[in-house]
Amino acid sequence: MANVVFRKLSGLVGALACASLLAACGGGGGNPGTSTTDPDPLTPKAASVIVSSTSNTIAASGVDGTEVTITAIVKDSGNQAVPGATVLFKTTAGTISNSGAVTDSTGTVSEKLSVKGVTVNGVPQPVNLEIKISAGVKGVENVSSNTITIKTV
């Protein structure tokens, strides 16, 4: 009888040992080679955004047709264009026509800056207002960007 109990216990101990070994080595499943902390592989690998404008002044009146074109070029760390990047413009005043537009095959996106309706300290359409504009890329932290200044006249 002791022999039968010993065989059953040794079989149970063996099964537990195998289960422990499998659990210790990961037990399979999941997706090897990926990490939940890695950025989305579909997110463009942007390193910098170069912002420029068609003019360094804008009419303070904000009348339709006086907008200034703002262009952003997104590049990777190898200075290559990054298509498909969502550009997020930042401005201290005025509005950008479509912050959140996606770069084309050359890594470029262009939008319009308007100062229509801008009021500062109760003054509508102030003259000599310095508007600072920079840009980032959605889903990518620490992207370097220059800041341009456009002055209302």
Side-chain angles (χ1 to χ4, degrees):
M1 168 103 169
N3 200 12
V4 171
V5 172
F6 180 72
R7 274 193 241 151
K8 285 187 178 182
L9 280 177
S10 64
L12 182 61
V13 170
L16 285 173
C18 286
S20 296
L21 287 173
L22 284 175
C25 70
N31 190 352
T34 63
S35 167
T36 57
T37 60
D38 286 341
D40 181 351
L42 300 177
T43 299
K45 304 295 185 235
S48 66
V49 181
I50 302 157
V51 180
S52 62
S53 65
T54 55
S55 176
N56 59 358
T57 61
I58 188 169
S61 66
V63 174
D64 289 342
T66 61
E67 300 88 358
V68 172
T69 300
I70 308 297
T71 300
I73 302 172
V74 180
K75 303 239 177 155
D76 64 15
S77 60
N79 206 30
Q80 299 299 307
V82 178
T86 301
V87 175
L88 303 173
F89 287 100
K90 299 170 196 132
T91 181
T92 57
T95 55
I96 303 288
S97 58
N98 185 19
S99 187
V102 176
T103 57
D104 62 16
S105 62
T106 66
T108 304
V109 64
S110 293
E111 296 301 334
K112 300 280 187 180
L113 169 69
S114 171
V115 293
K116 188 176 199 173
V118 169
T119 301
V120 176
N121 297 327
V123 178
Q125 287 94 20
V127 176
N128 294 323
L129 174 65
E130 291 189 351
I131 301 170
K132 307 228 180 268
I133 301 168
S134 61
V137 175
K138 183 179 179 180
V140 183
E141 293 183 29
N142 302 320
V143 173
S144 70
S145 173
N146 63 315
T147 299
I148 61 170
T149 302
I150 297 176
K151 196 173 204 176
T152 58
V153 290

